[in-house]
Amino acid sequence: MLETTRTYVARITNHTQIRDNLDECGFAASKLWNVGRYYIQERWDEDGEIPDEAELK
């Protein structure tokens, strides 16, 4: 299966107007990452296997 990864670059010109919203999105993403990592670590400690992506979704 062929997998493609793309990176997009953008410039924010009204940073002062959207700074708080961007901070909230970053905080939410950090929380989701931490919950996922915690869950994976728990599974790893219990049965020595990392859950597949379907289980994490």
Side-chain angles (χ1 to χ4, degrees):
M1 181 171 98
L2 181 63
E3 184 175 315
T4 302
T5 302
R6 292 188 173 94
T7 302
Y8 296 97
V9 178
R11 182 178 301 265
I12 299 172
T13 58
N14 61 343
H15 184 262
T16 56
Q17 294 173 339
I18 62 171
R19 174 183 25 206
D20 293 337
N21 290 336
L22 288 175
D23 286 344
E24 289 175 15
C25 287
F27 182 75
S30 174
K31 287 291 193 181
L32 287 171
W33 176 263
N34 289 336
V35 168
R37 281 288 302 130
Y38 179 82
Y39 180 76
I40 289 171
Q41 188 65 50
E42 289 288 307
R43 286 288 308 276
W44 178 266
D45 292 342
E46 287 176 9
D47 58 17
E49 291 185 19
I50 297 174
D52 63 1
E53 80 175 271
E55 184 176 341
L56 295 174
K57 291 179 183 177

